[in-house]
């Protein structure tokens, strides 16, 4: 039985945004509205994951472009480690390269920062009720995407060895292409710090010391194909 609106407990929320003014503004705005209680605020994805572990909030309002650990990676970790906490993305960006990775990582809501306070609160309670909390513009993008035929996927070159994740394997392939950390970050729409984290993880798993070894490893394991002549 659904609780009456006036008796519903406030949703406990953590706000994650690397811009102090924006973060504090969102916290202040939500503090003026019924139905939510801000229990913590994080300046990057690493801190957001830590606060979720400490505070067990109902929902995280997650920015995407943050240092150390971006919003997509933080969302993936939160949904994997703390499935009782939902994630609503609150970001400036509504492009496909930001939207779909966030949803694939487990975000149940996606709003742009021009959303009003009431819209944010509705999205928070929607995801807690098992529904999606999407802004109208995001819903349109999803419908447009679903109405387009999906491009054919290239066949996988090889299974990832040594416990590499799909993202670590992707980063390894870009290293093999000769891309710098900054170029990889732009290609994947993540921060340079996140790229460095993936590289450190895959180096440790595969026992690699430098990028030259990483390139040889990628080819020897069949994770990338030699360039065609």
């Amino acid at each position: 039985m659904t609780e009456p609106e006036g008796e519903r407990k406030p949703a406990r929320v953590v706000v994650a945004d690397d811009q102090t003014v924006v973060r504090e503004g969102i916290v202040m705005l939500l503090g003026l509205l019924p139905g939510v209680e801000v229990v913590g605020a994080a300046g990057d994805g690493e801190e957001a994951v830590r606060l979720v572990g400490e505070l067990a909030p109902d929902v995280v309002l997650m920015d995407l472009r943050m240092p150390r650990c971006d919003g997509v990676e933080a969302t993936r970790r939160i949904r994997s480690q703390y499935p009782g906490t939902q994630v609503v993305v609150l970001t400036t960006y509504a492009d496909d390269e930001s939207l779909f990775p966030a949803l694939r990582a487990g975000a149940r809501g996606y709003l742009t920062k021009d959303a009003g306070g009431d819209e944010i609160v509705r999205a928070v309670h929607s995801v807690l009720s098992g529904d999606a909390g999407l802004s109208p513009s995001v819903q349109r993008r999803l419908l447009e995407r679903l109405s387009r035929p999906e491009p054919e996927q290239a066949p996988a070159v090889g299974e990832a060895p040594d416990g590499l994740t799909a993202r670590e394997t992707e980063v390894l392939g870009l290293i093999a292409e000769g891309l710098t950390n900054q170029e990889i970050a732009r290609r994947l729409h993540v921060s340079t710090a996140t790229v460095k984290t993936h590289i450190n993880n895959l180096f440790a798993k595969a026992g690699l010391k430098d990028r030259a070894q990483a390139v040889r490893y990628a080819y020897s394991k069949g994770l990338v194909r030699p360039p065609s002549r």
Side-chain angles (χ1 to χ4, degrees), residues 8-41:
R8 184 167 54 187
K9 292 182 180 179
R12 301 174 69 254
V13 173
V14 164
V15 176
D17 196 298
D18 65 317
Q19 299 182 48
T20 302
V21 172
V22 175
R23 183 173 67 251
E24 292 179 350
I26 295 170
V27 171
M28 184 178 300
L29 172 64
L30 295 180
L32 300 173
L33 298 172
V36 292
E37 175 191 1
V38 178
V39 296

Side-chain angles (χ1 to χ4, degrees), residues 144-208:
E144 291 169 1
R145 176 69 173 263
L146 291 173
S147 67
R148 297 198 301 262
E150 288 291 328
E152 292 186 9
Q153 297 293 321
V157 176
E159 294 296 325
D162 297 318
L164 298 186
T165 66
R167 180 46 67 98
E168 289 163 359
T169 304
E170 188 175 13
V171 169
L172 178 61
L174 295 175
I175 291 174
E177 288 183 25
L179 273 63
T180 66
N181 288 359
Q182 292 77 12
E183 290 168 336
I184 294 172
R186 286 195 294 271
R187 178 78 66 87
L188 300 180
H189 303 281
V190 299
S191 67
T192 305
T194 297
V195 172
K196 290 179 181 178
T197 298
H198 289 313
I199 292 175
N200 289 338
N201 289 342
L202 73 90
F203 274 28
K205 290 178 180 179
L208 305 173

